[in-house]
Amino acid sequence: MQKISTFLWFDDQAEEAANFYVSVFAGRRGASAGGSRSLSVLRYGEAGPGKAGTVMTVAFQLDGQEFTALNGGPEYQFTEAISLWVNCGSQDEVDELWSKLSEGGEEGPCGWLKDRYGLSWQIVPTVLTELLADPDPARSQAVMRAMLGMGKLEIDGLRRAYEAA
């Protein structure tokens, strides 16, 4: 068990969301050796606060990273103030995750999207960080301008901006 884990508050879709996330990350291109899987389900008892027998929490892993999803009720909603960043090694990986996670959700700018549960994700090719870190400010700023004009990030477009600067 990792020392620090992300805890996600859902109204009543914790198990559905956890199963969806595991299905997106399990067996995909570029997946880490850590694996993606459900770990455990805890149910509310007679003491509540949820209805006895209903899912309280679902522990799961995505690429070896542990998460817990809670059915906590409608009091809190996700905002962009927190997002999950996914480093992608290829355009195929960006495309696959973007397509699966944005289905039923909302595509945003600069590699951001909201999934069908309202959770924000940043689907980012690792090359973006490399290009932005270039010591030549003309090149790094050209990449930044290109990124700011994109929804889903396109590696070829980022590289073209870099090379043209």
Side-chain angles (χ1 to χ4, degrees):
M1 178 176 209
Q2 65 194 36
K3 190 168 189 91
I4 298 173
S5 179
T6 302
F7 203 87
L8 303 169
W9 181 299
F10 295 87
D11 180 2
D12 62 357
Q13 322 92 325
E15 187 170 32
E16 176 185 323
N19 289 337
F20 171 68
Y21 298 142
V22 168
S23 76
V24 167
F25 284 87
R28 70 180 173 79
R29 294 183 290 260
S32 76
S36 298
R37 60 196 170 107
S38 292
L39 299 173
S40 64
V41 176
L42 296 178
R43 298 186 180 279
Y44 285 108
E46 293 301 322
K51 182 179 174 189
T54 63
V55 171
M56 179 173 65
T57 63
V58 179
F60 61 103
Q61 284 183 333
L62 302 179
D63 275 0
Q65 177 73 39
E66 292 180 17
F67 296 85
T68 300
L70 166 74
N71 281 332
E75 289 84 8
Y76 301 107
Q77 304 286 313
F78 293 118
T79 74
E80 291 84 355
I82 186 119
S83 62
L84 300 180
W85 173 293
V86 183
N87 283 307
C88 299
S90 69
Q91 189 65 51
D92 285 344
E93 189 177 9
V94 169
D95 294 346
E96 178 183 9
L97 289 174
W98 185 269
S99 173
K100 289 179 178 179
L101 289 169
S102 66
E103 185 179 333
E106 179 182 327
E107 296 181 359
C110 308
W112 287 64
L113 64 85
K114 280 188 185 179
D115 68 30
R116 64 183 76 168
Y117 304 101
L119 184 59
S120 292
W121 295 80
Q122 296 181 61
I123 308 303
V124 182
T126 54
V127 70
L128 175 63
T129 304
E130 296 165 17
L131 297 175
L132 289 173
D134 192 289
D136 180 346
R139 286 186 149 181
S140 63
Q141 291 306 297
V143 172
M144 177 63 75
R145 281 189 295 279
M147 181 202 67
L148 291 172
M150 295 178 182
K152 177 180 71 174
L153 298 181
E154 300 288 343
I155 294 172
D156 287 346
L158 298 170
R159 286 193 188 279
R160 278 193 303 274
Y162 178 84
E163 295 299 328

